[in-house]
Amino acid sequence: MSKANTIAPRDTAARNFGTVLKELDWRRYVIYIGFVVVFIFFAILLRDQGFLSPNNLLNIFRQTATITVIAVGMTYVIACAEIDLSVGSVAGLSSVCTAMALSQFGLVPGILAGLAVGLVVGSINGALVSLLGIPSFLVTLGMLGIAVGVAQWITASAPQPILNDTFNMLFGSGNFGPVPGLVVWSAIFVAIGAVVLNRTRFGRQVLATGGNRNAADFTGINTKRIKFQVLLISAMAASVAGMLYAGRLQSGRFQWGSGDELSAIAAVILGGTSLFGGFGSIIGTLFGALLIGLINNGLILAGLDSSQQQVVRGAIIILAVAMARKK
């Protein structure tokens, strides 16, 4: 084989590799790269503070479980080009309703009461957005205030203790074998969320509605129904997160979930879901939530106070928006 014939395939391969790099959408993978970089950074910086200890790593998964559950529901909303700012207050309201029903009526009614909060709030949000055409930002911003106000009102701002050991074990305090219950709950939501979004007709309709609503309407998709359903899913996920707060902390309080809407949105956008709709990644959302938990844990071990942590958390949200996928 001549020298020219040997060089030609190499040049072709180099050009093909360059083309692949140019066409590679790095925004899809930046969360995984960022997660590894941040993990290595804290592993080196905090090696003497026990960052890499099994207990600390397990704590990161525990601490991010409720955010992960909320963020899975939020992924559907944002992929549909909507937003839900009420999820944190819904979690708080669900926790107090669950606690109050548990003390009065027992385990099953308590669980049903918590789920009913998500069902009612999600139905109201969905109806106002899909039927009346009110922007989801305004609807859920108003619902945020309503839910937290109702939770504070019915409890007179007092914590509602939960003494039901079965509930506490199932929702946060117990383990399923060697695995903490919170981790199991987050894994279930991630698995179901990923399969439904990527492998079902409903998931494709959500992405189509977010990508181009007019085109989705022309193809026969009931976009109003899809918007209603994603807001219902988000509220139901938030109500489960509220019960996880209640089970882990063994009490219901209107403060549980406060600010979680911002963390969930940041996790979703960092995970690669388009802020403008049309694309969503549940696995990316999981890593986005873990990245936020990783940073929070590292900052605590590094000795930063809560105000400094808030500054970093705000910077993460700005970074998430800056890296949002464009249409």
Side-chain angles (χ1 to χ4, degrees):
M1 182 180 294
S2 66
K3 183 177 180 180
N5 291 337
T6 304
I7 295 175
R10 293 179 181 175
D11 292 341
T12 302
R15 285 195 298 270
N16 291 339
F17 183 71
T19 302
V20 170
L21 288 179
K22 289 180 180 179
E23 294 179 351
L24 182 65
D25 188 356
W26 61 270
R27 293 176 189 271
R28 290 194 182 190
Y29 307 102
V30 68
I31 179 60
Y32 309 110
I33 298 171
F35 181 86
V36 172
V37 170
V38 171
F39 183 86
I40 294 174
F41 172 76
F42 280 129
I44 296 173
L45 180 67
L46 303 173
R47 60 185 181 277
D48 296 328
Q49 277 77 27
F51 177 79
L52 290 176
S53 67
N55 284 339
N56 185 63
L57 295 179
L58 201 56
N59 279 335
I60 293 174
F61 281 95
R62 286 197 191 99
Q63 292 162 1
T64 58
T66 49
I67 294 297
T68 300
V69 170
I70 294 174
V72 168
M74 186 71 74
T75 302
Y76 282 82
V77 175
I78 294 180
C80 194
E82 300 293 340
I83 197 74
D84 188 352
L85 300 178
S86 66
V87 289
S89 58
V90 170
L93 179 58
S94 174
S95 74
V96 300
C97 288
T98 298
M100 296 172 73
L102 279 169
S103 64
Q104 294 292 325
F105 306 108
L107 178 62
V108 174
I111 295 173
L112 293 177
L115 294 175
V117 170
L119 180 63
V120 172
V121 173
S123 297
I124 294 173
N125 286 345
L128 292 175
V129 172
S130 63
L131 299 181
L132 299 184
I134 304 175
S136 58
F137 178 88
L138 297 178
V139 170
T140 58
L141 180 62
M143 186 58 71
L144 182 156
I146 292 172
V148 72
V150 169
Q152 191 171 2
W153 178 26
I154 63 178
T155 61
S157 302
Q160 304 298 307
I162 296 178
L163 304 178
N164 190 304
D165 293 335
T166 303
F167 176 86
N168 291 332
M169 184 192 70
L170 291 175
F171 289 89
S173 296
N175 297 331
F176 295 95
V179 184
L182 286 170
V183 176
V184 173
W185 276 104
S186 63
I188 291 172
F189 268 76
V190 168
I192 295 175
V195 170
V196 172
L197 186 63
N198 298 322
R199 303 293 182 185
T200 68
R201 181 184 178 188
F202 172 71
R204 292 191 293 271
Q205 290 179 339
V206 169
L207 299 179
T209 301
N212 190 321
R213 181 183 175 184
N214 291 332
D217 281 328
F218 279 120
T219 60
I221 296 174
N222 188 338
T223 56
K224 290 184 178 181
R225 177 175 56 83
I226 295 298
K227 287 185 177 184
F228 179 91
Q229 289 174 332
V230 296
L231 287 167
L232 179 60
I233 289 171
S234 179
M236 292 298 293
S239 68
V240 173
M243 290 191 286
L244 293 176
Y245 272 121
R248 178 166 66 93
L249 301 171
Q250 300 184 11
S251 67
R253 294 193 180 195
F254 71 91
Q255 298 100 325
W256 298 160
S258 176
D260 281 359
E261 61 277 354
L262 298 181
S263 296
I265 292 170
V268 172
I269 304 304
L270 280 172
T273 297
S274 174
L275 186 61
F276 309 98
F279 180 84
S281 172
I282 298 294
I283 301 301
T285 293
L286 170 63
F287 275 88
L290 288 175
L291 177 60
I292 293 175
L294 193 68
I295 292 173
N296 288 341
N297 182 268
L299 294 178
I300 292 172
L301 291 180
L304 274 68
D305 59 33
S306 60
S307 61
Q308 293 168 321
Q309 293 174 39
Q310 290 284 357
V311 171
V312 175
R313 193 175 294 114
I316 291 173
I317 295 173
I318 294 174
L319 178 65
V321 175
M323 291 187 171
R325 290 169 49 87
K326 304 292 182 181
K327 281 188 177 181

